[in-house]
Amino acid sequence: PVLIPMVREATQFSFMVRPTSDLYILSASLLDFLVPNRLHTFFRPDSFTWPGNQLAPISERTISMGYIPLLLVLVAVWRWRPPIRFWLVAAFFFLLLAMGPRLHLGNITEANLPTTMSSSTTEWTPFAFLNRIVPFMRISRSVSRYALMVQLCVAVLAGIGLATLLRQRRALTGWLTSSAVLLLLLGEYW
């Protein structure tokens, strides 16, 4: 009920189209996914200046994957079970979308913004390509929100990695391993 009228409006009118600079300002850097959460109790306010996107509001830069889930993803990849292929491809695809019209590995600063104002981009990233060919993609505002799908895929992969670890444990050591991982996750996302 919301999507269809929105797509219809986006294909007929341009009032919802954001300036291209917003696509750069509100996109993610690879480092935004890899640094600890900027809102972690122990690290703020110093964490607000950590490497990554330096232009977006702090709420758009809290997309850290977490080191424990990434380690569990590595366990899943190391054991390579068939279901992980889909989740790896999906995580990579949405990671590329969250990075917006230009892939940034480090900081995103004012120097990275386009100098001309237009409603489309000439880059060739997956997001930029989709932005050009899918009319309603032009109304995207906060490109980094595709990170939510990356986090979902990483969560599923981390679950597969933990299941792989637990499959080789006895009941007591499996319970201890699960408890330790849970405590580490709670500490990491505090």
Side-chain angles (χ1 to χ4, degrees):
V2 174
L3 181 64
I4 293 172
M6 184 180 72
V7 170
R8 190 177 308 128
E9 290 283 323
T11 57
Q12 293 175 357
F13 306 105
S14 63
F15 67 91
M16 292 188 291
V17 176
R18 308 293 303 170
T20 305
S21 60
D22 281 6
L23 301 177
Y24 291 85
I25 291 170
L26 299 170
S27 62
S29 162
L30 184 61
L31 280 179
D32 289 321
F33 289 97
L34 300 176
V35 298
N37 191 324
R38 295 170 196 277
L39 294 179
H40 195 286
T41 304
F42 298 131
F43 302 132
R44 63 179 183 224
D46 296 334
S47 59
F48 298 166
T49 60
W50 284 352
N53 187 335
Q54 302 297 314
L55 301 174
I58 211 64
S59 62
E60 302 296 329
R61 298 187 281 152
T62 55
I63 58 177
S64 174
M65 292 292 103
Y67 298 121
I68 302 303
L70 289 176
L71 285 172
L72 291 170
V73 167
L74 290 176
V75 170
V77 169
W78 172 62
R79 297 301 292 185
W80 194 260
R81 302 276 187 241
I84 71 166
R85 185 177 301 127
F86 169 79
W87 296 105
L88 282 173
V89 169
F92 185 68
F93 175 73
F94 285 109
L95 175 79
L96 292 175
L97 285 183
M99 293 175 76
R102 185 178 298 150
L103 301 181
H104 296 280
L105 303 179
N107 290 341
I108 299 174
T109 62
E110 296 264 344
N112 301 116
L113 296 180
T115 54
T116 59
M117 298 298 273
S118 71
S119 61
S120 65
T121 177
T122 59
E123 310 283 344
W124 284 99
T125 64
F127 177 82
F129 180 71
L130 287 173
N131 195 6
R132 276 196 299 280
I133 65 168
V134 180
F136 63 89
M137 285 285 289
R138 290 187 214 114
I139 64 173
S140 296
R141 184 178 100 68
S142 186
V143 181
S144 66
R145 291 188 187 161
Y146 288 109
L148 182 61
M149 294 305 296
V150 179
Q151 291 168 333
L152 173 68
C153 295
V154 167
V156 171
L157 288 165
I160 292 170
L162 182 59
T164 300
L165 286 177
L166 295 178
R167 204 173 295 129
Q168 301 163 356
R169 307 255 186 252
R170 291 193 176 132
L172 179 62
T173 57
W175 186 86
L176 289 173
T177 302
S178 297
S179 298
V181 167
L182 179 63
L183 286 174
L184 288 169
L185 282 171
L186 287 173
E188 189 168 24
Y189 291 120
W190 189 314

